[in-house]
Amino acid sequence: MKPEHIREIKRILCTMKCPLDFECTKVGRQDICRARDIGLDHALECREEDSPECGFAVMTDSSVVLCKCPLRLYLSKIVGM
């Protein structure tokens, strides 16, 4: 990962609060939460089964759960994770 990506990730982590205590960034976790880029600028499609527990999950009228987590969005859109 490029140094500028690491700096931006650290900046994001310092400016947000996570209701799950940044579980997806913990050492030893095999991968971050499952989300899929569906072409929206400010949201991803959340693919986690327990998404209601996350404060960044938003249910749409069509029962699609969107992920609005700034960290997850950055990782998906910029870094490609």
Side-chain angles (χ1 to χ4, degrees):
M1 190 175 301
K2 295 180 180 179
E4 61 266 23
H5 293 151
I6 294 170
R7 281 192 299 276
E8 181 62 12
I9 289 168
K10 287 180 180 179
R11 188 199 67 75
I12 292 169
L13 288 171
C14 289
T15 60
M16 64 181 279
K17 293 185 185 218
C18 176
L20 298 177
D21 195 29
F22 300 104
E23 184 64 34
C24 68
T25 65
K26 300 280 195 276
V27 175
R29 184 169 165 106
Q30 294 295 332
D31 53 6
I32 58 177
C33 64
R34 296 182 313 138
R36 183 173 66 129
D37 189 347
I38 55 173
L40 301 175
D41 289 336
H42 301 289
L44 304 168
E45 179 184 10
C46 179
R47 316 259 315 163
E48 292 290 320
E49 293 177 16
D50 59 353
S51 60
E53 293 180 23
C54 174
F56 295 106
V58 178
M59 180 77 75
T60 67
D61 291 341
S62 58
S63 298
V64 173
V65 180
L66 297 178
C67 172
K68 299 193 72 127
C69 172
L71 177 62
R72 189 64 185 91
L73 191 62
Y74 179 78
L75 291 172
S76 177
K77 298 281 188 182
I78 305 301
V79 184
M81 295 177 85

